[in-house]
Amino acid sequence: MKTLFALPDFNWGVLLPFLILAFTGIFGLLVLLVNPKANSKVIRTVTISGGLVALVSQFALFGGEYRSMGDMVMKTNPGMIGEVLILISLVVVVLISKPYLERTASDSPEFYPLLCWAALGGMIMCSSDNLLCIFVGLELLSISLYVLAGLNKRSKFSQEAALKYFLLGAFATGFFLYGIAFLYGASGNLSLDGFSTAPLHSGTDNRPLFYLSFALIMVGIGFKCGLVPFHQWIPDVYSGAPTNVVAFMATGAKVGPFIALYNIIMAVPTMSAIAVPICVALSILSMVVGNVMAFSQRDVKKILAYSSMVNAGYMLIYLAGLMKGHMAGAFPFGYFLLGYVFATLGVFVILAQISGRDASPITLQSLRGLSQRSPGLAALLVIFVLSQIGIGPVAGFVAKLIFVNGLIEANQSWMAIVLLANSAFAAFYYLKILKAAYSSEEEGAAIQFENGIESKIALAVCTVGVVGSVIFYSPIYHFITAR
Amino acid sequence: MDWLHNLSPAIQDVLSAIGRAILAIIPIFAPVPVIIWYERRLLSWMQDRIGPNRTGNITFSRTSKMVPSFLRGKKFKLFGLAQSIADGLKLFTKEDIMPDKTDRVLFILAPLIALFVALTLGCTIPFGGDIRFTPVADVNVGMLVILAISSLGAYSTVLAGYSSNNKYSLMGGLRASAQLISYELAMGIALAAMVMNSGSLRMTDIVKSQDAPLYGVVSFIPNWNVFTPMGFISAIVFGVCMIAETNRPPFDLPEAENELVAGYHTEYSTKRWGIFMMAEYMAMFTFSMIFATVFLGGYHFPIRWDVLAPYENMYLVGVVVMLTKGAVGLTVYIWVRATFPRLRYDQLMNLGWKFLLPLAVVNLMITATWIFAAKVYGPMAAWMVGLVCYGVLFIVWAAIRHQAKKTQPQFQSRSVNMVNSPRRVLDVVPNKEVTP
Amino acid sequence: MAYIGLSLFMFSTGVVGVVIRRNPIVIFMCIELMLNAVNLAFLSFARYRYATEGHSLNQAIGGPMMVIFVMAVAAAEVAVGLGIIMAIYRLKEEVDVDELNLLGG
Amino acid sequence: MKLTPELIIFAMLAGPAALAAVGVVAFGSAIRSALCLVFNFFLLAFLYFTLSMDMPGISQIVVYSGAIMVLFVFVIMLLNPKLIEERKDLKRPFGIAFGVVLFGILASQVLPVLGFEGAKPVVHQIGSPNVIGDALFSSYVFPFEVISILLLVGVVGSVFLAKRRTD
């Protein structure tokens, strides 16, 4: 048999999670096509099972490094942890979506395929160091999320959030692309390796081009990660978009850009003269501004938005340390993401359960009385918030410990001190959430929440993630890094 | 012509390009009066009436001294050919009216865009075998140029509708843009199948690829694309789409006179209206030419006689063959206009999105399979695979249609929900009496 | 390279447009302008630096490839973006980006 | 710098393109801005042709001028937005200053590096549809497939957002 095209080497096993996720979405649409009156139950089931199967096939890949499709797909360590996290948050978000969407009367079956494809975009971002692929994955993620942010078509909040998210996101894409253009111009290469060959090309001095391209790419990625000078969209979008979508936005959708950020930083050691100051400045700004802004907020989702900025700052400062000193990067970074994702997801699961019928922002006021109505839920909230703060036997604490340890080992103690100081400061506004939850409820404002089996499973997953990742720290470590 | 050869090569290129451009515009521009006359005569013949047959008939005076002696008393019949020229003169000498409160710049710009599109649409069509004169630009993306230019045509109608400051015009413009966008997709995909068939986007290559013996066996008939199964389906899709792209009946929704006065050109008069009209006829003619090029073998004779072969590459013979094929296309245009009633808006959209687009896509996929099979297993296998594919798809389609007919209620009346119309309750009354 | 100069100019113009205009549709058009500046940069880099002697086809093809992908992405983005703009216009009669302050940001 | 035919053609195309880009920002009415943008994209396509990039150039016309901008014009007409008067507040001078500074920074970094490199002869015909098609189906097949999903997202998303709820 003659071959018509010189196809690159396929490694179907590596591509399997992508394929499963893509076809899950398409299958959901087909269900809709065959029976337009179908309620979303079938599609939801399909999506959950698709996510779980993809998760299993992803777990099977752990322990090795794979490349497929030339250099387009690359599975290395923090990326694979990221993919798992994305899939878990996909499944959890789908679990909590049904009651929430029904309550806010915006139960559209298109939600599930779009969520699937958003997760697919994030996974593609995690597993490539070709900027073309990262760009395509980023856009797949973002465009799906633009639609999802406007999921509730009757809520002005939701539509406004969608518009803001969309305009600023597209704006950031422009910067990101311009950065890629200069990188291509300087190195003739769309791969991130282009950065690491920067000084080699010094026949004509291309270094300004490299610096510029790094700066522009950081602007683009910074927008998506929510680093501070580019953070304006985050609080508004978090506060306005439907809570279940925000739950994905804050967790699964953040993982992809963070891993891409990690890959970019890992690719630029030769440029650390300019990269380190930029990163340190951005991260300190993110932490300080995020903390200060969060302090005066009354909207819970906005507090979480600012806290996500602070977390981005932690990760970036670790990466800056990574550039300067020699220390293990992949596992600590992955573990921090794990702690962040599970804790945030848990808080959002609780918020989705108590958010009201009218899809308006959730204020601290509306949390009051949670402990009286449902002590269990309040206790779980404590666990998740503690993990965010970084106290106690929870993932957040261990992750921060590893970070601080790594920074000190790399002789970057001042970075560790900045990190610790900020997380101490952050504890205040997290405690405000807890205080609201444990204060007595106001007259006539009984908190409404429901507690279906799906939400229970989702909460269990998050709790296991937050607590279990501490208990089984060393098995996880060996599973991921060994083999 | 020595001075020409002494110029620098760049300027020579520019000059030859300008020469070719003029040569290419004339065959599109010149026939417009004839086309209009032809349409009116043919239409009246089909409707059993006479049509313009007088204008231009000259009977010279028997007695006047002004007339040369050999002409005195002679009659010349032009069969009404001068009618369209007279109309044109009238249009271009009337008082120019521009309504108040129009967007003046856009109002003037709109007909010019229409003219631009109509004139440049044909720039990659080879009118004859002689590559010195034609096509104007033998670029390697010829087919895409056609798609690109034809997609620009939407602006003229849209801008005309917008700038007129008239509700009817606006509706016409909106309809036009929606219609053009919808049909462009199917058109592009239909052409894509033919591009795959020929293996090139270059128009001259597409023409050349149709010069082989039919199916590789029948030596005296050329292998025109329309004779192959996928080409036949593409030709149907493209034919419908090209009528819709030129806003001709039965797809003349943007200018439906009983709904929208005259649609996007309600406020236009005199020369601007004349330009719109000319552009429409030129576009018709060019699309017929494109159809001839892609599906009917371009400038080649319909029969491959060895005696004829040397003449095919001559410029004039090629042009004559091509123009004849174009005239056939025009005839079909007019025939369709005389035959079919105008579609309703929802019918138009359903035809475009639910019939033509899936058909074109399926055809594209089967073409790909066909080519793959032909390359890997040889032509016989390709025929079998292709025909089986078509057969299976036809059965599937018939089954779906059967199922849909069973479940779909038949309506006595129905109302269509337009975009942004005031919310209405669907008053659908299932008709019990109508039983098949 | 005058092409890059033009590309820079278009990019900056687009940024200015995004910053100073209020109509979301116009802002979106300015973003498209930025994307086209990117495309121009890619193509001129590919033509002037990598389509020439001493570079592999693999290097040279990156620019046009990226342009094709940017176009496809832009098409999808426009479809979704205009959908969002239509949806918000349904809820509110007039949209001024500066007055979108329900969310207090 | 010698005045070559290439440079003249470039100036003829780039000047109006730059003006049109300014027009997009400067015009008050959305439809004028859109037309300026169409004009700009059209000229850009010709600039691509001068770079001997036939395929990207023609796709530029098909995709941007022919599809995307028609969609823009369609939406502008459909919504027929009242002119939002552009108030003269602090935002305008600040924005323009920001743009000028951005342009200055980028240009001062980039242009000296590049200089005015002359056009070297082309050895790779990267603008031709054959080469682009080959690349799309060989080394770039993965992102190509992802793009198909992305376009599907575009279709589903826009239909979802634009359709009216039936209840």
Side-chain angles (χ1 to χ4, degrees):
Chain A
M1 195 173 122
K2 284 178 280 183
T3 49
L4 292 179
F5 303 109
L7 280 172
D9 55 324
F10 279 96
N11 188 342
W12 289 104
V14 175
L15 298 179
L16 202 56
F18 300 145
L19 289 174
I20 291 168
L21 216 49
F23 280 102
T24 307
I26 292 172
F27 190 71
L29 274 193
L30 284 181
V31 170
L32 207 61
L33 179 74
V34 172
N35 185 5
K37 295 276 187 307
N39 55 9
S40 13
K41 193 178 172 191
V42 186
I43 303 179
R44 192 165 51 242
T45 321
V46 165
T47 310
I48 290 178
S49 45
L52 289 177
V53 174
L55 199 56
V56 169
S57 66
Q58 181 66 36
F59 267 119
L61 290 173
F62 262 107
E65 291 206 358
Y66 306 92
R67 275 173 183 273
S68 178
M69 296 279 189
D71 63 339
M72 291 291 167
V73 180
M74 170 199 72
K75 297 239 177 187
T76 50
N77 230 342
M80 284 205 278
I81 301 174
E83 283 172 58
V84 168
L85 290 178
I86 289 173
L87 286 170
I88 290 174
S89 52
L90 168 74
V91 172
V92 168
V93 169
V94 172
L95 277 175
I96 63 170
S97 286
K98 181 201 163 205
Y100 178 79
L101 290 177
E102 278 172 0
R103 199 143 20 100
T104 54
S106 53
D107 191 10
S108 326
E110 289 95 340
F111 170 77
Y112 301 99
L114 284 172
L115 198 65
C116 257
W117 291 326
L120 177 66
M123 285 173 67
I124 289 166
M125 279 189 88
C126 286
S127 59
S128 179
D129 71 343
N130 189 308
L131 279 167
L132 199 156
C133 258
I134 292 181
F135 163 66
V136 170
L138 178 66
E139 284 303 296
L140 184 53
L141 174 68
S142 321
I143 291 180
S144 312
L145 283 180
Y146 301 151
V147 181
L148 290 178
L151 188 70
N152 192 341
K153 284 203 285 185
R154 271 176 296 189
S155 154
K156 281 185 183 176
F157 299 108
S158 170
Q159 293 302 321
E160 192 178 316
L163 185 66
K164 276 190 175 169
Y165 190 27
F166 167 71
L167 285 178
L168 286 171
F171 189 50
T173 304
F175 279 97
F176 185 64
L177 276 174
Y178 218 38
I180 303 178
F182 283 130
L183 178 65
Y184 174 74
S187 71
N189 208 335
L190 286 176
S191 161
L192 279 172
D193 297 340
F195 276 128
S196 46
T197 54
L200 301 178
H201 261 261
S202 45
T204 54
D205 190 14
N206 281 333
R207 228 164 297 168
L209 279 187
F210 278 112
Y211 292 159
L212 208 57
S213 81
F214 176 73
L216 287 171
I217 287 177
M218 280 304 281
V219 173
I221 284 281
F223 254 108
K224 304 287 175 185
C225 292
L227 297 171
V228 150
F230 327 111
H231 65 287
Q232 289 88 347
W233 61 273
I234 297 188
D236 286 358
V237 173
Y238 275 34
S239 155
T243 307
N244 58 340
V245 176
V246 180
F248 188 75
M249 251 184 226
T251 55
K254 277 278 167 66
V255 171
F258 277 130
I259 301 287
L261 185 67
Y262 174 84
N263 284 335
I264 290 169
I265 301 281
M266 287 297 103
V268 292
T270 49
M271 289 171 49
S272 56
I274 181 139
V276 171
I278 288 181
C279 290
V280 169
L282 284 185
S283 64
I284 290 179
L285 263 180
S286 303
M287 289 190 260
V288 172
V289 173
N291 276 336
V292 170
M293 297 294 284
F295 203 67
S296 57
Q297 281 302 327
R298 305 196 52 77
D299 183 340
V300 181
K301 283 202 275 185
K302 276 194 179 175
I303 292 180
L304 287 168
Y306 287 113
S307 112
S308 82
M309 282 179 219
V310 178
N311 275 300
Y314 298 154
M315 282 186 251
L316 194 60
I317 204 162
Y318 183 69
L319 289 176
L322 214 53
M323 254 187 294
K324 287 195 89 172
H326 299 283
M327 50 186 177
F331 180 74
F333 195 75
Y335 193 83
F336 190 92
L337 267 181
L338 188 146
Y340 167 72
V341 164
F342 277 120
T344 314
L345 205 52
V347 177
F348 274 109
V349 170
I350 293 172
L351 284 189
Q353 283 186 50
I354 64 170
S355 67
R357 198 172 283 280
D358 56 346
S360 55
I362 305 164
T363 55
L364 281 176
Q365 211 71 30
S366 54
L367 269 180
R368 292 176 76 113
L370 183 66
S371 62
Q372 292 159 4
R373 308 281 297 196
S374 166
L377 219 53
L380 287 177
L381 186 66
V382 172
I383 294 180
F384 298 136
V385 169
L386 283 183
S387 176
Q388 289 278 32
I389 300 170
I391 312 172
V394 277
F397 170 70
V398 179
K400 265 182 201 152
L401 202 64
I402 304 174
F403 266 22
V404 170
N405 192 24
L407 284 172
I408 290 171
E409 273 177 14
N411 286 326
Q412 305 295 331
S413 315
W414 65 275
M415 288 186 188
I417 290 166
V418 170
L419 202 161
L420 283 177
N422 273 295
S423 54
F425 188 69
F428 286 107
Y429 58 82
Y430 286 125
L431 289 175
K432 261 164 67 177
I433 298 179
L434 291 187
K435 188 181 154 220
Y438 276 89
S439 57
S440 59
E441 64 190 295
E442 282 173 29
E443 289 300 315
I447 188 165
Q448 293 290 325
F449 66 90
E450 46 68 47
N451 209 351
I453 180 74
E454 290 104 339
S455 312
K456 277 182 184 148
I457 298 173
L459 277 176
V461 170
C462 296
T463 317
V464 168
V466 169
V467 181
S469 59
V470 178
I471 298 172
F472 300 107
Y473 175 77
S474 75
I476 291 176
Y477 180 81
H478 288 296
F479 180 67
I480 290 170
T481 56
R483 240 197 279 181
Chain B
M1 300 284 260
D2 273 348
W3 60 274
L4 198 61
H5 292 288
N6 290 339
L7 293 170
S8 77
I11 296 180
Q12 274 188 35
D13 284 351
V14 169
L15 280 181
S16 86
I18 291 173
R20 273 186 291 174
I22 292 168
L23 273 181
I25 284 174
I26 286 169
I28 299 173
F29 211 74
V32 170
V34 185
I35 296 171
I36 297 176
W37 172 81
Y38 179 61
E39 175 174 26
R40 294 178 70 174
R41 286 305 296 263
L42 190 61
L43 209 56
S44 22
W45 178 73
M46 284 174 176
Q47 293 167 348
D48 203 9
R49 56 189 175 86
I50 297 170
N53 65 345
R54 300 292 172 87
T55 324
N57 285 2
I58 301 172
T59 313
F60 287 104
S61 164
R62 227 180 271 271
T63 55
S64 171
K65 296 261 161 42
M66 307 281 284
V67 182
S69 56
F70 63 92
L71 282 178
R72 284 186 193 146
K74 292 267 168 62
K75 269 190 176 179
F76 288 94
K77 280 193 175 177
L78 274 176
F79 313 105
L81 252 176
Q83 180 66 50
S84 34
I85 294 172
D87 284 347
L89 278 177
K90 182 197 74 175
L91 279 177
F92 276 76
T93 50
K94 275 169 91 172
E95 189 195 350
D96 189 12
I97 297 172
M98 192 187 288
D100 215 14
K101 289 186 179 168
T102 48
D103 196 330
R104 298 182 78 85
V105 179
L106 304 185
F107 193 78
I108 296 169
L109 198 62
L112 297 183
I113 293 177
L115 194 65
F116 164 77
V117 168
L119 283 177
T120 44
L121 194 57
C123 68
T124 55
I125 303 172
F127 282 91
D130 195 333
I131 55 158
R132 278 175 305 170
F133 298 112
T134 183
V136 180
D138 191 16
V139 287
N140 55 5
V141 286
M143 193 70 100
L144 284 176
V145 170
I146 286 167
L147 286 178
I149 303 286
S150 75
S151 64
L152 291 183
Y155 289 111
S156 69
T157 46
V158 170
L159 291 183
Y162 178 79
S163 64
S164 298
N165 197 21
N166 176 334
K167 284 251 158 56
Y168 291 117
S169 300
L170 188 67
M171 281 305 296
L174 282 176
R175 280 183 176 191
S177 56
Q179 176 180 334
L180 292 186
I181 291 173
S182 319
Y183 279 79
E184 217 146 72
L185 284 172
M187 187 169 98
I189 294 172
L191 287 180
M194 289 305 94
V195 169
M196 280 163 65
N197 217 356
S198 310
S200 172
L201 283 165
R202 199 189 286 267
M203 293 297 262
T204 46
D205 287 352
I206 291 173
V207 172
K208 261 184 215 131
S209 76
Q210 299 180 46
D211 197 21
L214 184 63
Y215 312 137
V217 224
V218 192
S219 61
F220 60 92
I221 298 178
N223 189 17
W224 288 357
N225 275 335
V226 75
F227 293 145
T228 55
M230 55 274 207
F232 183 67
I233 293 175
S234 279
I236 291 172
V237 174
F238 181 76
V240 177
C241 291
M242 88 184 181
I243 296 174
E245 283 279 306
T246 40
N247 290 335
R248 292 283 301 172
F251 299 100
D252 58 344
L253 272 287
E255 43 194 290
E257 65 269 6
N258 47 5
E259 300 165 25
L260 297 177
V261 189
Y264 60 89
H265 55 56
T266 304
E267 298 291 355
Y268 279 81
S269 58
T270 68
K271 34 185 184 290
R272 302 212 172 83
W273 186 83
I275 290 175
F276 266 126
M277 171 127 169
M278 261 162 53
E280 183 179 327
Y281 281 93
M282 285 195 286
M284 261 169 77
F285 186 57
T286 321
F287 266 108
S288 306
M289 293 295 211
I290 294 166
F291 189 88
T293 309
V294 178
F295 296 102
L296 301 181
Y299 50 82
H300 291 303
F301 286 109
I303 294 175
R304 300 176 76 239
W305 278 329
D306 288 343
V307 195
L308 290 174
Y311 297 104
E312 280 191 345
N313 284 339
M314 284 172 61
Y315 185 65
L316 282 177
V317 178
V319 169
V320 169
V321 175
M322 194 69 184
L323 289 183
T324 316
K325 285 175 180 172
V328 172
L330 283 175
T331 312
V332 174
Y333 258 115
I334 298 161
W335 189 7
V336 167
R337 176 181 172 179
T339 312
F340 289 106
R342 182 181 300 125
L343 270 69
R344 226 171 37 220
Y345 194 72
D346 62 322
Q347 286 173 333
L348 176 92
M349 284 296 156
N350 280 350
L351 179 68
W353 287 101
K354 293 191 181 163
F355 180 69
L356 290 179
L357 186 61
L359 184 65
V361 170
V362 163
N363 188 42
L364 182 79
M365 284 154 73
I366 295 182
T367 310
T369 320
W370 188 301
I371 292 170
F372 177 78
K375 287 229 165 118
V376 178
Y377 303 108
M380 278 314 289
W383 271 92
M384 277 156 61
V385 169
L387 291 184
V388 166
C389 281
Y390 279 118
V392 167
L393 277 163
F394 181 76
I395 291 167
V396 168
W397 177 77
I400 290 174
R401 215 180 140 70
H402 183 69
Q403 197 66 26
K405 264 202 176 149
K406 253 203 290 188
T407 52
Q408 210 170 44
Q410 284 176 316
F411 298 135
Q412 208 168 34
S413 68
R414 63 170 164 179
S415 67
V416 183
N417 265 351
M418 305 275 289
V419 178
N420 273 357
S421 67
R423 189 170 289 183
R424 249 184 302 179
V425 183
L426 274 171
D427 49 347
V428 174
V429 186
N431 190 353
K432 294 289 190 305
E433 279 86 318
V434 180
T435 42
Chain C
M1 262 158 72
Y3 287 96
I4 298 293
L6 177 64
S7 155
L8 287 173
F9 179 76
M10 276 170 59
F11 190 80
S12 319
T13 315
V15 172
V16 170
V18 172
V19 174
I20 70 173
R21 294 301 298 262
R22 293 159 189 282
N23 186 337
I25 300 180
V26 178
I27 290 179
F28 194 15
M29 289 198 283
C30 293
I31 291 170
E32 291 299 314
L33 194 63
M34 288 164 66
L35 293 187
N36 272 274
V38 171
N39 283 355
L40 184 60
F42 268 116
L43 287 182
S44 46
F45 276 132
R47 163 69 184 82
Y48 277 84
R49 292 200 140 187
Y50 301 110
T52 51
E53 196 99 5
H55 294 280
S56 68
L57 178 64
N58 215 0
Q59 276 185 319
I61 199 70
M65 277 299 73
M66 197 70 199
V67 170
I68 299 282
F69 281 110
V70 170
M71 281 179 189
V73 166
E77 205 171 68
V78 165
V80 167
L82 290 180
I84 290 174
I85 291 174
M86 294 261 291
I88 198 164
Y89 265 93
R90 288 231 178 94
L91 287 177
K92 309 168 124 189
E93 278 303 301
E94 200 166 314
V95 179
D96 180 342
V97 172
D98 283 7
E99 281 159 16
L100 286 181
N101 47 13
L102 270 180
L103 300 171
Chain D
M1 204 165 68
K2 207 169 144 279
L3 205 64
T4 55
E6 284 81 17
L7 200 65
I8 295 172
I9 292 173
F10 173 77
M12 276 168 61
L13 292 171
L19 275 183
V22 173
V24 175
V25 179
F27 271 121
S29 89
I31 196 124
R32 294 266 167 104
S33 294
L35 283 182
C36 276
L37 198 56
V38 174
F39 188 55
N40 184 356
F41 289 169
F42 198 67
L43 289 174
L44 271 187
F46 283 91
L47 279 175
Y48 295 172
F49 292 147
T50 64
L51 288 166
S52 70
M53 298 282 182
D54 301 346
M55 184 68 190
I58 202 71
S59 339
Q60 167 87 5
I61 300 184
V62 174
V63 176
Y64 274 111
S65 309
I68 291 183
M69 290 316 294
V70 172
L71 217 56
F72 266 106
V73 173
F74 184 76
V75 170
I76 291 172
M77 281 171 59
L78 201 61
L79 303 176
N80 208 0
K82 281 160 241 131
L83 284 180
I84 296 170
E85 87 237 49
E86 302 280 330
R87 270 167 293 167
K88 286 208 165 58
D89 54 0
L90 213 60
K91 208 171 146 185
R92 173 165 291 210
F94 173 75
I96 293 172
F98 177 66
V100 171
V101 168
L102 184 74
F103 179 71
I105 292 173
L106 291 175
S108 65
Q109 293 298 307
V110 173
L111 292 181
V113 176
L114 301 172
F116 283 90
E117 291 177 13
K120 290 177 208 134
V122 178
V123 291
H124 302 300
Q125 292 299 327
I126 47 175
S128 86
N130 300 342
V131 177
I132 286 185
D134 267 351
L136 267 185
F137 281 99
S138 57
S139 45
Y140 289 86
V141 67
F142 178 65
F144 183 68
E145 294 300 326
V146 178
I147 279 285
S148 66
I149 299 277
L150 181 61
L151 291 175
L152 193 58
V153 169
V155 173
V156 174
S158 52
V159 168
F160 167 72
L161 285 168
K163 84 176 174 201
R164 201 170 268 276
R165 295 188 71 94
T166 43
D167 51 22

